């Protein structure tokens, strides 16, 4: 499906700049819609929590038990904000803490059974909305979009110092 790449160096004319701006606008809209969908999923996870707590739960679900400092770094939050959200997740019974067997002074975070069940329900809600948007897409369109997005993500942000 990568047949679109002709190997030729694209011209840097006004039309190309318009195309790049249109792509940027579409990507910004995609990110905004994704955030809105994640906020709905976060509310499904638990109505009392901020969406950032949902991100912590998602990360723990994907990567397993971890120390609070590792979670904070992985989700890109400062430790104090992460600690506050962790306290709320523990208070609501969605996360558990245990003593780190390798360092008895540290704790390890993990999702509880309820936390995993709620996370699954939230992800089903998010997945259903995503599948609905893609229902009319052909398999070829799905493969093409996936390939192009992967290509965009693998591309260096600033190739050879050039600016788009």
């Amino acid at each position: 499906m990568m047949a679109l790449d002709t190997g030729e160096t694209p011209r840097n004319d006004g039309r190309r700049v318009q195309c790049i701006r249109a792509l940027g606008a579409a990507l910004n809209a995609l990110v905004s819609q994704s955030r809105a969908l994640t906020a709905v999923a976060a509310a499904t996870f638990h109505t009392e929590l901020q969406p950032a707590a949902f991100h912590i739960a998602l990360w723990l679900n994907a990567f397993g038990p971890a120390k609070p400092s590792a979670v904070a770094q992985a989700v890109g939050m400062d430790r104090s904000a992460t600690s506050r959200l962790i306290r709320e997740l523990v208070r609501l019974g969605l996360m558990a803490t245990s003593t780190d067997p390798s360092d008895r002074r540290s704790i390890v975070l993990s999702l509880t059974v309820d936390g995993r069940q709620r996370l699954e329900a939230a992800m089903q809600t998010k997945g259903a909305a995503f599948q609905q948007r893609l229902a009319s897409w052909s398999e070829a369109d799905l493969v093409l979009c996936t390939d192009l997005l992967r290509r965009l993500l693998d591309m260096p942000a600033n190739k050879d110092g050039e600016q788009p």
Side-chain angles (χ1 to χ4, degrees):
M1 283 276 138
M2 299 305 287
L4 294 177
D5 186 6
T6 63
E8 297 175 20
T9 302
R11 291 190 343 234
N12 197 7
D13 59 9
R15 175 76 178 133
R16 180 170 175 79
V17 170
Q18 288 176 339
C19 289
I20 290 171
R21 286 183 180 153
L23 175 60
L27 289 172
N28 284 335
L30 178 65
V31 168
S32 293
Q33 288 182 12
S34 178
R35 284 184 180 148
L37 190 53
T38 298
V40 170
T44 301
F45 178 63
H46 203 288
T47 56
E48 291 182 42
L49 292 171
Q50 296 176 0
F54 180 63
H55 289 286
I56 291 171
L58 281 172
W59 190 88
L60 281 173
N61 189 60
F63 297 101
K67 292 182 179 183
S69 58
V71 173
Q73 181 178 5
V75 297
M77 290 183 213
D78 65 62
R79 287 186 185 190
S80 63
T82 304
S83 293
R84 184 178 46 76
L85 293 169
I86 288 168
R87 280 193 302 275
E88 284 299 301
L89 286 159
V90 169
R91 181 184 69 79
L92 294 167
L94 304 172
M95 183 182 291
T97 62
S98 59
T99 303
D100 184 349
S102 65
D103 179 0
R104 309 293 287 164
R105 298 169 295 167
S106 298
I107 64 167
V108 174
L109 308 169
S110 59
L111 291 175
T112 62
V113 170
D114 187 34
R116 284 191 301 276
Q117 289 172 343
R118 286 173 171 267
L119 189 63
E120 180 61 32
M123 293 311 295
Q124 285 179 1
T125 298
K126 189 174 180 179
F130 189 64
Q131 287 188 11
Q132 182 180 3
R133 287 177 180 231
L134 298 173
S136 66
W137 287 35
S138 69
E139 187 175 324
D141 285 345
L142 291 168
V143 169
L144 176 61
C145 185
T146 302
D147 287 347
L148 290 172
L149 285 171
R150 284 183 179 148
R151 192 168 143 203
L152 177 65
L153 293 171
D154 290 342
M155 187 178 289
N158 189 2
K159 185 180 177 189
D160 299 328
E162 294 177 323
Q163 295 295 320

